Amino acid sequence: MRILFIGDIVGRAGRDAFCTHIPRLRDKWALDFIAVNVENAAGGFGITEAIADDIIAAGADCMTLGNHAWDQREALVFIERQTRLIRPINYPTGTAGRGANLYEARNGRRVLVMNAMGRIFMDPLDDPFAAVEREITQCPLGVGCDASIIDIHAETTSEKYAMGHFVDGRASLVVGTHTHIPTADHQILAHGTGFICDAGMTGDYDSVIGMDKEEPVRRFTRRISSGRFEPANGVATLCGVAIETNDATGLAQKIAPLRIGGRLAQAEPDFWN
Ligand SMILES: [Fe+2]
Ligand SMILES: [Fe+2]
């Protein structure tokens, strides 16, 4: 299967990049499944139902979240009816929505997507490793699903690598989000799981991780907040990772970074052209 995972959409610039490039790429590469992190899609903070609908219309099969999941309070309500939106699986029991879901890809195969949040330098949630273990035990790769994706939304590279190795051979892709800067470590782990520490954000990189530069720089230098964080509105780079999975095993057989448009050096998979 041909799968894209796109990193955190930040604000209007990020949404524009997603909605401009994804329909074309979906056709050009005959993509089977597209997942995208949307925790910063609404003005940098959370997701609204109208924006979620636009992102689905552009081609997203599944949207994941993170620590900004509930910044727009309406998400607590519409996540209950929008099955293409999932939130971190290790929130407390009783939290709205679901942390994993099974989807039908365009080729008719089943894709399990999970969203988990790290705990180092982040909110003290339930154990993300135990939560993921429960999910993949219930729906094993190659039995309950034909491909699987884990979005590990975490601050530290170590926690993301630990998740990659923890499920190596039992998931198609472990992809890091949250830090908003793409890493150059995309690889297929020893037992066949595709991995990248951070997919990067889909936002304007003339910024401080997606936000207009002035206020973050002021806060770092003066230690006083003097305004709101606003998303930077220059042309965004669509950032993410492309994987091809093996139809028999569900494991990754090819992986490449994706960076299209905006300021970053461009990167596309060469194996689908
Ligand atoms: Fe983010
Ligand atoms: Fe985040």
Side-chain angles (χ1 to χ4, degrees):
M1 293 178 67
R2 296 178 170 194
I3 298 172
L4 283 191
F5 183 96
I6 303 297
D8 309 33
I9 290 178
V10 181
R12 173 168 297 282
R15 301 197 308 267
D16 286 349
F18 186 88
C19 295
T20 300
H21 297 298
I22 288 297
R24 176 178 59 84
L25 296 177
R26 193 171 90 169
D27 290 347
K28 179 181 169 194
W29 291 333
L31 298 170
D32 296 306
F33 196 82
I34 299 165
V36 55
N37 186 295
V38 298
E39 70 151 2
N40 310 107
F45 298 93
I47 178 90
T48 65
E49 188 163 28
I51 288 172
D53 289 345
D54 288 347
I55 291 169
I56 292 166
D61 296 292
C62 174
M63 298 171 291
T64 57
L65 289 165
N67 52 304
H68 290 290
W70 315 124
D71 287 358
Q72 307 292 328
R73 310 306 285 183
E74 66 174 271
L76 286 161
V77 176
F78 81 82
I79 197 170
E80 298 285 7
R81 55 179 176 260
Q82 181 47 267
T83 56
R84 293 197 184 277
L85 182 64
I86 62 173
R87 46 76 175 166
I89 195 168
N90 48 330
Y91 271 129
T93 305
T95 300
R98 59 202 75 70
N101 209 355
L102 192 64
Y103 299 96
E104 187 180 325
R106 256 164 235 114
N107 63 354
R109 288 173 168 259
R110 300 154 303 164
V111 182
L112 174 66
V113 187
M114 294 156 272
N115 187 192
M117 199 137 75
R119 293 189 294 184
I120 311 299
F121 307 133
M122 300 188 77
D123 292 341
L125 300 180
D126 293 347
D127 178 358
F129 296 90
V132 164
E133 178 70 37
R134 277 193 295 275
E135 209 56 50
I136 62 178
T137 301
Q138 277 175 23
C139 187
L141 184 61
V143 181
C145 60
D146 301 297
S148 64
I149 300 169
I150 298 169
D151 171 354
I152 173 71
H153 195 81
E155 192 71 49
T156 64
T157 50
S158 55
E159 199 171 16
K160 294 176 185 183
Y161 263 87
M163 181 62 79
H165 292 304
F166 179 65
V167 301
D168 186 16
R170 302 189 291 158
S172 310
L173 174 67
V174 173
V175 54
T177 56
H178 176 69
T179 42
H180 287 198
I181 303 299
T183 55
D185 60 336
H186 57 280
Q187 59 176 301
I188 296 173
L189 300 176
H191 301 289
T193 295
F195 180 82
I196 188 167
C197 209
D198 199 300
M201 68 169 171
T202 295
D204 175 9
Y205 281 78
D206 181 19
S207 68
V208 174
I209 61 169
M211 294 295 153
D212 187 77
K213 294 171 282 191
E214 282 187 26
E215 177 60 17
V217 171
R218 241 184 342 246
R219 288 195 200 180
F220 276 114
T221 54
R222 306 247 169 92
R223 313 304 303 176
I224 298 167
S225 66
S226 47
R228 285 163 46 90
F229 283 137
E230 300 284 352
N233 270 324
V235 177
T237 304
L238 180 82
C239 266
V241 63
I243 65 160
E244 185 174 285
T245 60
N246 182 288
D247 285 342
T249 64
L251 294 169
Q253 52 193 22
K254 290 171 182 160
I255 186 165
L258 188 70
R259 297 188 300 272
I260 297 175
R263 305 170 66 86
L264 298 192
Q266 306 290 286
E268 287 188 20
D270 57 10
F271 42 76
W272 291 335
N273 287 323

